[in-house]
Amino acid sequence: ARDERGVVVTLHDAFRGPELAVDATTKLRDLGRVAAAHPGFSLQVVVHDAVPTRPKDDANTRRAGLAVQALVAGGATAGRIKPELAGTRAPLVDPGDGRQRARNERLDVVFVASGK
């Protein structure tokens, strides 16, 4: 998809607890290869939560780091990747809906044009 940030690839079910799911690791490595082939783009990795996390919870920091590592393993340049922890700021569905809330947990990989 394309939005105001750039070209966005959203991965649902990307994590198993604090770890990357095997399928997400494969997809991120593939995206790393795409990034390597298109060096005019920087990458933004955005981790979204389904529910608010505690301030001392560093699981999402770890998740973002693992996503960056998988992109780099595919060939992306680490210095062109910016991780961001979005928390619950941009829900897809009402966070108060217990049956739908899990859809808010996702990982966005955004290809951002450098403007050069």
Side-chain angles (χ1 to χ4, degrees), residues 1-89:
R2 186 180 243 319
D3 68 15
E4 68 279 355
R5 299 173 294 173
V7 177
V8 183
V9 178
T10 300
L11 302 177
H12 291 277
D13 299 320
F15 302 104
R16 298 292 176 260
E19 304 297 326
L20 275 172
V22 173
D23 187 47
T25 301
T26 301
K27 289 177 183 174
L28 288 165
R29 286 184 181 152
D30 290 344
L31 291 170
R33 283 191 279 284
V34 172
H38 300 280
F41 288 89
S42 294
L43 296 176
Q44 182 180 27
V45 173
V46 186
V47 178
H48 296 270
D49 273 328
V51 294
T53 57
R54 297 181 308 272
K56 294 182 182 178
D57 184 3
D58 64 349
N60 283 336
T61 300
R62 176 174 168 71
R63 288 173 167 183
L66 291 171
V68 169
Q69 287 175 11
L71 288 164
V72 170
T77 303
R80 298 186 65 90
I81 305 171
K82 178 186 173 199
E84 180 183 338
L85 306 179
T88 57
R89 287 191 311 250

Side-chain angles (χ1 to χ4, degrees), residues 72-109:
V72 170
T77 303
R80 298 186 65 90
I81 305 171
K82 178 186 173 199
E84 180 183 338
L85 306 179
T88 57
R89 287 191 311 250
L92 297 174
V93 298
D94 178 3
D97 182 346
R99 289 187 284 165
Q100 297 281 332
R101 179 178 36 229
R103 290 185 50 211
N104 291 330
E105 184 174 293
R106 64 199 186 279
L107 176 68
D108 288 340
V109 177

